[in-house]
């Protein structure tokens, strides 16, 4: 799936109803996520079976494991993006501060606004200005804001994404003119513009050079505490650097993916309980 396709998927899913921006104070209150017995299918193909994982508020949880084991699918169940894919099915519960986001009282836009997403490939709108790219985050979730609120939000979001100092003098230039790493931080700013309490990131550095990667990792470090982060990464060193919690996913021989082991990142890397985890973190497969 291409990055631009993902954005249009989000746009297409929007309903006409709009919501009012939450108060600024919400930016500093991260929320816990608790996945309970999550299963996922594409048609008859089950790709996750009864996955449970607690993602503590204000911490960075890394999802690691070989390609194809269901990490991205799991991430998409955490803000209901999974259900946008044709033939996708879901079972289980995802509790946001104890409330099931799949409950009938939750609208798709509620989930999308409270639980933001950043993708693998930086996908700013290239011809749109840096300013409008950040504000576009509001439109994607149907949030309304006044001109003054927008000005404040653009500065706040770019600052939180660690990009403000680099772009403050060229907010009207196109987002596509930025470097790859800056574009990814612009996408983080766009996601932060609705003041989500959780931020999901799917291999956000895999298209970036090492310097830009470090810069994004610093940004993740700065966001921790303000927002709960769940990050998929295939880079073990990155998981060790940025996360406090880690979950190792595996899908063995055509069976649906699941979590082999989860816990404090230090423990997963230094004293894994399962031999498969030990082999994976030591780079012996995957
Ligand atoms: N849109 C889709 N349609 C059908 N199958 C999919 C789709 N996306 C992923 N899958 C399948 O689901 C499984 C898990 O994929 P994914 O969640 O992308 O794994 P990971 O992120 O760990 O590499 C794979 O078998 C993949 O082929
Ligand atoms: Mg993936």
């Amino acid at each position: 799936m291409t990055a631009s396709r993902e954005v249009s998927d989000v746009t297409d899913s929007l309903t006409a109803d709009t919501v009012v921006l939450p108060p600024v104070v919400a930016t500093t209150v991260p929320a816990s996520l608790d996945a309970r017995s999550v299963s996922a299918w594409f048609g008859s193909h089950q790709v996750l079976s009864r996955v449970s994982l607690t993602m503590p508020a204000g911490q960075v949880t890394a999802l690691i494991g070989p390609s194809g084991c269901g990490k991205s699918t799991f991430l998409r169940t955490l803000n209901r993006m999974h259900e946008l894919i044709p033939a996708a099915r879901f079972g289980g519960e995802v509790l946001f501060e104890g409330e099931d986001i799949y409950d009938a009282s939750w609208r798709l836009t509620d989930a999308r606004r409270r639980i933001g997403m950043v993708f693998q490939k930086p996908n700013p709108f290239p011809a749109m200005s840096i300013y409008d790219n950040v504000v576009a985050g509001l439109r994607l979730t149907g949030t309304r804001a006044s001109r003054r609120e927008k000005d404040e939000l653009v500065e706040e979001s770019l600052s939180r994404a660690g990009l403000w100092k680099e772009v403050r003098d060229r907010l009207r230039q196109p987002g596509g003119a930025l470097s790859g790493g800056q574009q990814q931080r612009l996408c983080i700013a766009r996601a932060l513009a609705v003041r989500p309490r959780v931020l999901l990131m799917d291999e956000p550095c895999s298209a970036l050079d090492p310097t830009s990667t470090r810069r994004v990792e610093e940004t993740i470090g700065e966001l921790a505490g303000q927002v709960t982060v769940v990050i998929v990464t295939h880079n073990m060193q990155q998981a060790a650097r940025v996360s406090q919690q880690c979950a190792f996913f595996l899908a063995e021989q055509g069976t649906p993916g699941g979590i082999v082991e989860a816990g404090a990142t230090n423990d997963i890397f230094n004293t894994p309980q399962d031999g498969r985890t030990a082999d994976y973190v030591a780079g012996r497969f995957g």
Side-chain angles (χ1 to χ4, degrees), residues 44-216:
S44 59
H45 181 205
Q46 184 172 11
V47 301
L48 291 172
S49 177
R50 297 182 170 278
V51 177
S52 294
L53 181 66
T54 298
M55 291 147 278
Q59 295 204 3
V60 179
T61 299
L63 312 181
I64 61 172
S67 179
C69 64
K71 304 179 299 296
S72 294
T73 302
F74 180 71
L75 202 68
R76 286 193 299 262
T77 67
L78 299 180
N79 77 341
R80 294 181 55 176
M81 282 199 75
H82 177 65
E83 66 196 65
L84 300 180
I85 298 167
R89 280 195 299 134
F90 169 85
E93 293 179 330
V94 175
L95 305 183
F96 174 100
E97 290 285 302
E99 275 182 53
D100 188 4
I101 68 170
Y102 286 89
D103 187 89
S105 64
W106 273 62
R107 295 171 307 175
L108 259 182
T109 45
D110 293 327
R112 228 46 68 61
R113 188 162 42 84
R114 292 173 192 166
I115 307 164
M117 176 85 100
V118 172
F119 300 95
Q120 191 164 348
K121 191 167 162 281
N123 58 352
F125 301 107
M128 199 184 263
S129 72
I130 293 167
Y131 183 101
D132 287 339
N133 260 284
V134 178
V135 171
L138 299 182
R139 214 189 49 235
L140 289 176
T141 53
T143 308
R144 243 193 326 241
S146 70
R147 177 62 202 245
R148 214 200 71 227
E149 280 176 314
K150 283 180 189 167
D151 288 350
E152 286 172 6
L153 258 184
V154 167
E155 176 169 353
E156 171 195 300
S157 306
L158 287 168
S159 299
R160 295 176 75 201
L163 190 58
W164 175 247
K165 288 186 185 135
E166 288 158 66
V167 301
R168 61 194 300 172
D169 298 325
R170 45 176 172 143
L171 295 176
R172 294 294 165 195
Q173 287 179 17
L178 297 172
S179 73
Q182 288 173 324
Q183 288 188 21
Q184 192 59 301
R185 281 179 282 138
L186 178 59
C187 293
I188 293 171
R190 180 175 67 191
L192 292 174
V194 289
R195 298 182 178 137
R197 296 175 64 188
V198 178
L199 189 60
L200 310 176
M201 309 179 99
D202 196 351
E203 303 200 24
C205 301
S206 63
L208 306 182
D209 60 73
T211 306
S212 302
T213 294
R214 282 308 190 119
R215 202 58 203 84
V216 170

